Amino acid sequence: MVAPKIHYIGLKTHTGAVGDTIRIKVTDDFQVTDVIVTIKDRKGTKLETGPAIQYKRKPMMWIYTLTIANPDIKGTTIKVTASDRPGNEVQQEVKIE
């Protein structure tokens, strides 16, 4: 069994506004079960964390919708944790410059 692979964390439409989405492409040799997103401001304070929702038309795509505004996104860190059915886990972080 192999851990899931996070191919990318898409931040094209991310402005820090409530309702913005973050797209995450995750694949696995078996089945991805969970994708959790954690957002921290530039000081390292956790702003929010929660599950991404699997996109029905493209099962390898997961979408996280922001619930808390972060108007100053410079220096923000987005951490994604993906898990598969056997319990393997992988993490990836992206810092907005």
Side-chain angles (χ1 to χ4, degrees):
M1 300 288 174
V2 178
K5 180 175 181 180
I6 299 171
H7 295 272
Y8 65 82
I9 301 170
L11 300 171
K12 284 185 180 180
T13 60
H14 180 65
T15 64
V18 172
D20 278 0
T21 58
I22 297 171
R23 295 181 180 272
I24 304 130
K25 182 178 179 182
V26 183
T27 58
D28 187 59
D29 62 341
F30 191 64
Q31 179 185 17
V32 177
T33 56
D34 294 298
V35 176
I36 305 295
V37 177
T38 301
I39 301 173
K40 294 182 180 179
D41 67 14
R42 66 177 163 194
K43 295 177 184 175
T45 304
K46 183 165 61 168
L47 299 174
E48 66 180 287
T49 188
I53 305 300
Q54 191 173 26
Y55 187 60
K56 293 183 192 260
R57 290 187 182 173
K58 295 181 182 179
M60 66 188 70
M61 295 299 298
W62 295 71
I63 300 171
Y64 181 78
T65 304
L66 273 67
T67 60
I68 296 175
N70 179 18
D72 186 13
I73 64 170
K74 189 173 182 178
T76 297
T77 302
I78 313 292
K79 178 180 166 185
V80 174
T81 304
S83 305
D84 63 10
R85 182 142 327 268
N88 298 307
E89 189 175 280
V90 66
Q91 296 181 347
Q92 184 174 332
E93 286 188 0
V94 174
K95 188 171 186 175
I96 300 172
E97 298 296 332

